[in-house]
Amino acid sequence: MKIIAIGRNYIEHAKELNNPVPKEPMFFTKPDTAILRNNAAFYYPDFSKNIHYEAEIVLRISKVGKNIEEKFANRYYDQLGIGIDFTARDLQDICKAKGKPWEIAKAFDGSAPLGTFLSKSKFDKMDDINFSLDINDQRVQTGNTKDMIFSFDELIAYVSKFFTLKIGDFIFTGTPAGVGAINVGDRLKASIEGELLLDFEIK
Ligand code: ZN
């Protein structure tokens, strides 16, 4: 099982971090040890002073595929969920400045909390799904998949050129604007179309 996470897939988020809007998808990976399930608490690590939340729609791959054509990509995932792509922004800024890989900033233990997944069949259109993140009952992020630069199908086609997708893999599809820091004691609640699917604490 692997996690593939797409960077800069919402224009407003690319702008808020002063990143250029990409011409093709960019992605990185996280190992299985990044996953937190069942609303488990996230323990703030001591190697960072600036961990950011990024709420993202997550696809669950349901079929093995390589070089998947965009027109068939929708057959390769069966469930959607919401997850958090925790990012050590201070370490990421250093990695970016030095041209180093992002793994220590993105792929650490617990950096990918996942909520309950929903069947894809619950949604009429993949390009009109609302999602949100609340911290301590304040709304901090709202997104709609219509604002993605690359659609789910385009992402699957692109990623599968490089990586064989296997059953149970996850694709984090990018975060909308509004990212920010978490603090010990915060409670994060993430929803798709108003349905609460992920609810956990920072310890
Ligand atoms: Zn992200």
Side-chain angles (χ1 to χ4, degrees), residues 5-9 13 28 30 53-56 84-87 89 92 102 106 172-176 179:
I6 311 297
R8 301 173 194 167
N9 200 26
H13 170 63
F28 53 90
K30 297 184 186 235
Y53 57 82
E54 298 185 356
E56 311 197 3
I84 309 293
D85 167 22
F86 277 135
T87 303
R89 199 70 75 197
Q92 190 192 29
W102 288 7
K106 283 284 197 183
F172 278 64
T173 58
T175 197
V179 302

Side-chain angles (χ1 to χ4, degrees), residues 9-203:
N9 200 26
Y10 286 79
I11 291 172
E12 294 305 319
H13 170 63
K15 283 185 190 163
E16 76 183 341
L17 295 184
N18 294 314
N19 288 316
V21 174
K23 294 198 171 48
E24 59 186 12
M26 57 161 294
F27 66 90
F28 53 90
T29 64
K30 297 184 186 235
D32 57 2
T33 43
I35 291 179
L36 285 183
R37 294 257 203 193
N38 303 318
N39 294 326
F42 174 77
Y43 286 85
Y44 205 110
D46 58 11
F47 52 73
S48 175
K49 299 260 180 294
N50 191 23
I51 304 262
H52 274 201
Y53 57 82
E54 298 185 356
E56 311 197 3
I57 296 285
V58 182
L59 310 180
R60 183 191 177 275
I61 297 297
S62 56
K63 191 170 157 181
V64 176
K66 169 86 178 163
N67 288 319
I68 299 165
E69 284 185 59
E70 192 185 319
K71 65 183 173 190
F72 299 129
N74 67 350
R75 302 180 185 173
Y76 286 81
Y77 64 101
D78 62 347
Q79 293 179 11
L80 298 176
I82 193 158
I84 309 293
D85 167 22
F86 277 135
T87 303
R89 199 70 75 197
D90 44 359
L91 299 184
Q92 190 192 29
D93 288 344
I94 294 168
C95 292
K96 280 186 187 171
K98 294 187 176 175
K100 287 182 171 180
W102 288 7
E103 268 78 359
I104 59 167
K106 283 284 197 183
F108 50 85
D109 286 359
S111 61
L114 287 173
T116 305
F117 278 75
L118 303 172
S119 170
K120 187 174 75 173
S121 63
K122 277 190 76 145
F123 303 93
D124 295 335
K125 291 172 71 183
M126 293 301 121
D127 60 354
D128 186 15
I129 298 172
N130 290 293
F131 60 105
S132 61
L133 175 67
D134 293 357
I135 299 186
N136 306 327
D137 293 321
Q138 301 275 5
R139 178 106 343 149
V140 294
Q141 279 191 292
T142 56
N144 185 297
T145 54
K146 72 173 160 30
D147 297 319
M148 292 192 300
I149 299 168
F150 302 104
S151 68
F152 295 159
D153 293 347
E154 288 173 297
L155 295 174
I156 286 171
Y158 183 80
V159 168
S160 71
K161 285 190 212 178
F162 304 92
F163 286 72
T164 299
L165 294 177
K166 296 177 78 174
I167 296 167
D169 287 349
F170 296 109
I171 301 182
F172 278 64
T173 58
T175 197
V179 302
I182 51 161
N183 295 290
V184 172
D186 284 347
R187 182 160 178 189
L188 279 65
K189 293 181 184 178
S191 303
I192 297 177
E193 296 293 352
E195 184 173 350
L196 180 63
L197 299 170
L198 176 63
D199 178 358
F200 68 104
E201 285 178 359
I202 311 300
K203 291 191 174 174

